[in-house]
Amino acid sequence: MPSRIVIFGATGYTGRLAAERLVAQGAEPVLAGRSEQKLRSLSERLGGLPWEVADVERAGSVAGLVERGDVLVSTVGPFVRWGEPAVRAAVAAPAIYLDSTGEPPFIRRVFSELGAPARSSGATLLPAMGYDFVPGTLAAALALREAGDAAARVDVGYYSLGGGPSSLSRGTRASLAGIALSPSFAFRGGTVRTVRSAERMRSFPVKGRQRPAISVGGVEHFAVPPLFEHLREVNVYLGWFGPLARGIQATSRATALAGRVPGLRHALVLGAGKLAGMGDAPAEGTTPGGLSWIAATAHDDAGAQLAEVHLSGADGYAFTAGMLTWAARRAASEGVAVTGAAGPLEAFGLEALEQGCAEAGIARVS
């Protein structure tokens, strides 16, 4: 019998999309969030689904959502601020945990601090099971498989074509503000190291032209090296900003200096997050309709390129909802291959992951 699927944050932008997809595919998830009125309304619209009230400010209410063997899907962000209670609830149950974060500091916390307790309890933690950073993990693995044992470095670039700031939800904009102003990390010299956000820039060929991108932390830094032991370096780049990339890199340098003043970085992150949350955003239950493009290149020790892979398809929100849906249903029916904190390759395998990404709307292109 399949395990229960619980969606925490079900009445939010991404949670609602995931809930709708699960119901359309015949599943009956438990809806969870802090607003009884919104949960009741969504439950009625989706056919009378079970629902429970839970609030991250009352950690016991979140822990009460999850039972042994459940699949917990969390879409409650910004995750650096609100995400940890759901992870700890999954560890205690133990359960299989998935989330929609794209926030490097939170991803690192899950792998570095919460992975060992999860392994001990028998829980599985799969952070960032959406547009950030599943397709890049897949593209990196495909490029490294083609390159063979000579590959020592892999670079991944994410692009969203055809959308502007108003195509991003308020939660996404708040998360991006935190990313730009917070320390990041990268897999360098065979280990994950702290680096400045937007430390590096490079361009990838996307639809016939070179497009710039800035370096960020991602799941790839943790998820790819365990399966490719010869790998010494992983770089992940975000190309959403176009010509603004250099300005963001300069801001990152200035913020790194400001971070030496006690309390200043935290104030900047909070202030930027509030500003990013203002303004127009996509209507609830919709996706912006842009085109996602993910590139990956594998290189040898001397920097020579050995392989190049491109994926493309649905916009980030549609893909995230589809990927969370696919992963939750698969985990509920078949379980996963690992415990502790892991990436999608370790949890599902390369072939299954490629199929899941295609079902969620992103596949390989020539």
Side-chain angles (χ1 to χ4, degrees):
M1 180 178 177
S3 301
R4 287 197 319 161
I5 298 173
V6 180
I7 304 179
F8 182 41
T11 61
Y13 189 86
T14 301
R16 185 186 299 266
L17 290 173
E20 290 171 346
R21 289 193 179 221
L22 281 167
V23 170
Q25 295 171 11
E28 295 185 359
V30 177
L31 309 177
R34 65 181 179 178
S35 170
E36 179 177 342
Q37 180 180 355
K38 290 182 179 180
L39 287 168
R40 191 185 300 276
S41 175
L42 181 60
S43 169
E44 292 173 356
R45 187 165 67 81
L46 295 179
L49 294 177
W51 54 270
E52 295 186 36
V53 174
D55 190 332
V56 293
E57 294 186 334
R58 295 184 291 112
S61 69
V62 181
L65 290 175
V66 193
E67 300 172 2
R68 175 181 291 271
D70 283 350
V71 176
L72 175 61
V73 179
S74 176
T75 63
V76 178
F79 285 82
V80 167
R81 187 174 183 185
W82 305 119
E84 193 164 322
V87 184
R88 293 197 178 277
V91 171
I96 299 172
Y97 167 89
L98 318 170
D99 71 36
S100 60
T101 189
E103 300 165 42
F106 184 76
I107 292 167
R108 189 174 193 177
R109 187 184 307 167
V110 170
F111 277 93
S112 300
E113 300 176 18
L114 300 171
R119 193 175 304 109
S120 296
S121 74
T124 301
L125 309 179
L126 303 176
M129 282 296 298
Y131 179 72
D132 303 340
F133 290 91
V134 173
T137 301
L138 173 61
L142 293 173
L144 289 167
R145 185 177 65 177
E146 291 185 11
D149 291 344
R153 183 187 108 215
V154 67
D155 292 354
V156 175
Y158 285 86
Y159 295 85
S160 180
L161 309 179
S166 63
S167 70
L168 303 178
S169 73
R170 292 183 177 88
T172 299
R173 294 204 295 263
S175 294
L176 284 174
I179 291 169
L181 296 175
S182 300
S184 191
F185 56 86
F187 185 78
R188 306 265 174 81
T191 189
V192 175
R193 301 177 177 178
T194 299
V195 298
R196 192 183 75 246
S197 186
E199 176 196 33
R200 294 182 177 181
M201 282 188 62
R202 70 154 286 182
S203 296
F204 293 85
V206 178
K207 292 186 74 69
R209 52 180 279 212
Q210 292 288 326
R211 298 176 187 260
I214 55 174
S215 60
V216 297
V219 161
E220 292 92 334
H221 300 293
F222 293 98
V224 177
L227 299 176
F228 297 91
E229 295 181 357
H230 52 281
L231 200 58
R232 304 298 297 165
E233 184 175 328
V234 177
N235 298 297
V236 182
Y237 296 86
L238 197 59
W240 289 13
F241 308 104
L244 299 177
R246 291 200 179 279
I248 293 172
Q249 188 179 46
T251 299
S252 173
R253 291 194 190 100
T255 305
L257 294 174
R260 298 174 185 175
V261 180
L264 182 55
R265 182 192 296 277
H266 181 66
L268 287 171
V269 170
L270 287 179
K274 290 179 180 178
L275 287 173
M278 299 177 181
D280 295 333
E284 289 187 0
T286 68
T287 62
L291 178 70
S292 294
W293 196 282
I294 302 92
T297 57
H299 305 259
D300 65 16
D301 277 320
Q305 183 171 303
L306 304 175
E308 183 175 331
V309 168
H310 292 263
L311 311 178
S312 186
D315 71 77
Y317 294 107
F319 177 81
T320 295
M323 193 70 227
L324 286 171
T325 299
W326 176 86
R329 293 187 66 202
R330 187 178 179 91
S333 62
E334 302 180 26
V336 293
V338 292
T339 58
L345 285 171
E346 292 179 282
F348 302 111
L350 180 56
E351 287 73 22
L353 184 63
E354 188 169 17
Q355 177 185 348
C357 284
E359 290 181 13
I362 288 180
R364 187 166 185 174
V365 293
S366 56

